[in-house]
C-alpha cells in the first residue's frame, strides 16, 4: 500500500517502564498514549528492521513483496475487519509522559529494532 503510512511504535522496555511510571505517579490522569516520540513511515520501519538484521548477521528473506491496496481489501474480508485500519496512518505520540518527565530509552526505531533483534533477547 505504498509504505508511506505513518506508524507509531514503542520498545517493549519503554512500554514496561511507562506502565511502572504511571502506576508510581498518581498525578498523571486521563488518556496516555504509550508510543515513542518518533513515529515513522511504514517503509522506513521495515527498512530499519532489514538494516538491523544485516548489521547483526541475521539471515533474512532476500526479497520483500509489495502489499497492494487490493490485497489489503481482500484480506480484510477474510479477517472481517475494516481495511482502513491498515491503510490509514496512525501517528500517535505521547505528550503526557514527557510532560511528567518520563524519558524514553529508545527514541528512534533504528535503535529499538537493533536492540529487539539481538540474539541474546530470545
Amino acid at each position: 500500500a505504498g509504505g508511506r503510512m505513518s506508524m507509531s511504535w514503542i520498545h517493549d522496555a519503554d512500554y514496561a517502564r511507562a506502565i511502572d511510571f504511571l502506576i508510581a505517579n498518581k498525578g498523571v490522569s486521563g488518556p496516555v498514549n504509550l508510543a515513542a516520540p518518533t513515529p515513522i513511515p511504514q517503509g522506513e520501519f521495515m527498512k530499519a528492521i532489514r538494516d538491523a538484521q544485516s548489521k547483526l548477521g541475521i539471515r533474512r528473506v532476500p526479497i520483500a513483496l509489495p502489499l497492494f491496496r487490493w490485497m489489503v481489501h481482500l484480506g480484510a474480508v477474510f479477517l472481517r475487519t475494516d481495511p482502513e485500519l491498515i491503510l490509514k496512518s496512525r501517528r500517535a505520540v505521547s505528550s503526557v509522559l514527557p510532560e511528567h518527565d518520563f524519558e524514553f530509552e529508545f527514541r528512534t526505531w533504528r535503535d529499538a529494532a537493533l536492540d529487539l533483534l539481538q540474539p541474546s533477547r530470545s
Side-chain angles (χ1 to χ4, degrees):
R4 293 180 304 274
M5 300 83 59
S6 191
M7 288 186 58
S8 295
W9 60 274
I10 187 168
H11 188 286
D12 63 356
D14 282 336
Y15 179 87
R17 288 179 49 251
I19 296 294
D20 288 342
F21 180 85
L22 292 169
I23 291 169
N25 291 279
K26 303 295 183 204
V28 180
S29 63
V32 177
N33 285 328
L34 296 184
T38 54
I40 60 172
Q42 191 270 340
E44 288 182 32
F45 182 88
M46 294 305 297
K47 182 175 182 332
I49 291 173
R50 290 189 302 271
D51 291 348
Q53 288 173 323
S54 291
K55 191 175 225 176
L56 295 170
I58 298 171
R59 187 168 180 250
R60 61 186 182 96
V61 177
I63 187 168
L65 298 175
L67 181 62
F68 297 103
R69 182 176 293 274
W70 67 267
M71 293 174 173
V72 173
H73 282 274
L74 181 62
V77 169
F78 290 106
L79 295 174
R80 296 187 177 139
T81 190
D82 184 355
E84 296 306 313
L85 293 173
I86 297 170
L87 295 171
K88 291 225 176 193
S89 289
R90 302 287 183 249
R91 189 173 170 74
V93 293
S94 179
S95 58
V96 174
L97 289 173
E99 285 173 5
H100 289 86
D101 298 325
F102 178 84
E103 291 188 27
F104 288 88
E105 182 179 345
F106 296 92
R107 298 185 60 80
T108 69
W109 175 239
R110 287 203 173 281
D111 293 339
L114 193 57
D115 182 71
L116 289 167
L117 291 172
Q118 290 288 338
S120 60
R121 286 184 54 97
S122 52

